[in-house]
């Protein structure tokens, strides 16, 4: 399928060899870098913050897709833009004024995404789907890499793709959590066009080769 993107999740990289792992992705067939920011409040884990993002940006040659798993993300949008984020995704469940948050992200001229936890119905975005560039369907409960993929995700993708046909045919549907070579094709067939993958790429003996194989799965 055309216009399908692979976004390795830096969370699964070796932080003691971050530059090396970023260069692997730079020279691979991957399309984006997916960067997970966790605050220990919205999710029960803390990942990394601005200094690490700055270090990633220094070496990354591909788009930075920043996934904010933080409460009240409005406080930090400008800072993430200044650090080089080209897509910022916030959580539906963390934003009481989601419309305002999306407007704020767009005011900096970058793409805005909304992530949905596994329990959140895709229909809840019905009143603002036209204004969102990307919906990230969480296929695990956010907070940790390496978790098992939740099978109901396929139903959510199909429902959102159907629903977006009228309201936003160009919508990017990103899947995050438990994505591997095994389920990549099924996800794209259901309507996904961005696949985030952490442990199955960085945990592989040859990450670049795993990306090639994943691409093959989704292009054929
Ligand atoms: C989970 C993060 C994911 C995570 C995916 O909260 O949002 O991006 O890094 O990791 P894997 O691919 O290992 O499930
Ligand atoms: Zn993520």
């Amino acid at each position: 399928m055309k216009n399908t993107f692979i976004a390795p999740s830096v969370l699964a990289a070796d932080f003691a060899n971050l530059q090396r792992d970023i260069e692997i992705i730079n020279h691979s067939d991957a399309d984006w870098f997916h960067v997970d920011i966790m605050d220990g409040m919205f999710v029960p884990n803390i990942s990394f913050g601005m200094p690490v993002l700055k270090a990633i940006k220094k070496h990354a040659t591909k788009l930075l897709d920043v996934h904010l798993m933080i409460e009240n993300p409005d406080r930090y949008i400008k800072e993430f833009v200044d650090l080089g984020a080209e897509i910022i995704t916030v959580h539906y469940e963390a934003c009481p004024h989601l419309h305002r948050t999306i407007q704020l992200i767009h005011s900096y001229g970058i793409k805005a995404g909304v992530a949905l936890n596994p329990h959140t119905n895709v229909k809840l975005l019905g009143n603002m789907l036209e204004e969102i560039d990307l919906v990230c369907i969480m296929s695990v409960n956010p907070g940790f890499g390496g978790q098992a993929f939740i099978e109901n995700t396929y139903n959510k993708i199909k429902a959102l793709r159907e629903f977006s046909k009228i309201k936003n045919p160009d919508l990017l549907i990103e899947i995050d959590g438990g994505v591997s070579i095994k389920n990549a094709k099924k996800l794209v067939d259901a309507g996904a066009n961005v696949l985030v993958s952490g442990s199955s790429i960085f945990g592989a003996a040859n990450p670049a080769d795993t990306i090639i194989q994943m691409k093959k799965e989704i292009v054929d």
Side-chain angles (χ1 to χ4, degrees):
M1 185 185 172
K2 267 190 170 175
N3 296 326
T4 301
F5 306 104
I6 292 182
S9 174
V10 178
L11 187 66
D14 176 354
F15 292 121
N17 289 290
L18 193 51
Q19 184 178 354
R20 180 201 66 190
D21 281 6
I22 288 169
E23 296 294 355
I24 289 173
I25 303 306
N26 283 343
H27 295 106
S28 76
D29 282 355
D31 303 282
W32 300 352
F33 282 92
H34 183 84
V35 183
D36 291 304
I37 309 288
M38 305 175 184
D39 66 355
M41 296 293 287
F42 176 66
V43 289
N45 194 15
I46 298 174
S47 56
F48 50 80
M50 281 67 176
V52 174
L53 182 58
K54 198 174 173 184
I56 294 169
K57 180 65 185 174
K58 196 171 155 196
H59 300 289
T61 57
K62 299 182 178 184
L63 179 150
L64 287 194
D65 170 37
V66 175
H67 177 193
L68 298 183
M69 283 159 274
I70 66 176
E71 286 183 359
N72 194 2
D74 298 35
R75 294 171 293 165
Y76 297 111
I77 300 298
K78 184 180 183 307
E79 217 170 322
F80 283 114
V81 172
D82 290 344
L83 285 167
E86 287 157 276
I87 302 176
I88 293 182
T89 296
V90 295
H91 265 264
Y92 176 88
E93 303 82 6
C95 298
H97 302 285
L98 183 62
H99 192 271
R100 179 184 290 150
T101 305
I102 296 302
Q103 281 183 322
L104 177 63
I105 298 170
H106 279 154
S107 74
Y108 295 107
I110 67 164
K111 285 188 164 42
V114 178
L116 304 178
N117 278 342
H119 73 277
T120 305
N121 196 313
V122 296
K123 294 260 157 130
L124 290 169
L125 293 175
N127 288 328
M128 59 176 302
L129 205 57
E130 301 88 334
E131 298 175 62
I132 303 170
D133 302 293
L134 175 150
V135 174
C136 173
I137 297 182
M138 292 306 303
S139 37
V140 296
N141 286 295
F144 302 91
Q147 301 181 82
F149 179 86
I150 296 171
E151 292 293 321
N152 184 49
T153 304
Y154 299 113
N155 296 328
K156 290 180 75 172
I157 301 169
K158 284 180 201 153
L160 180 61
R161 186 49 81 197
E162 197 50 44
F163 180 46
S164 69
K165 273 183 188 157
I166 308 153
K167 295 196 170 230
N168 186 349
D170 298 326
L171 184 72
L172 292 165
I173 300 183
E174 176 177 76
I175 311 307
D176 188 5
V179 174
S180 68
I181 293 172
K182 284 187 189 154
N183 55 16
K185 185 174 176 357
K186 200 171 165 189
L187 290 166
V188 171
D189 286 349
N193 46 7
V194 185
L195 301 182
V196 173
S197 182
S199 46
S200 78
I201 288 178
F202 287 105
N206 187 336
D209 194 53
T210 303
I211 294 164
I212 290 172
Q213 287 179 46
M214 204 178 271
K215 270 252 150 121
K216 257 193 207 153
E217 285 289 320
I218 60 181
V219 171
D220 289 348

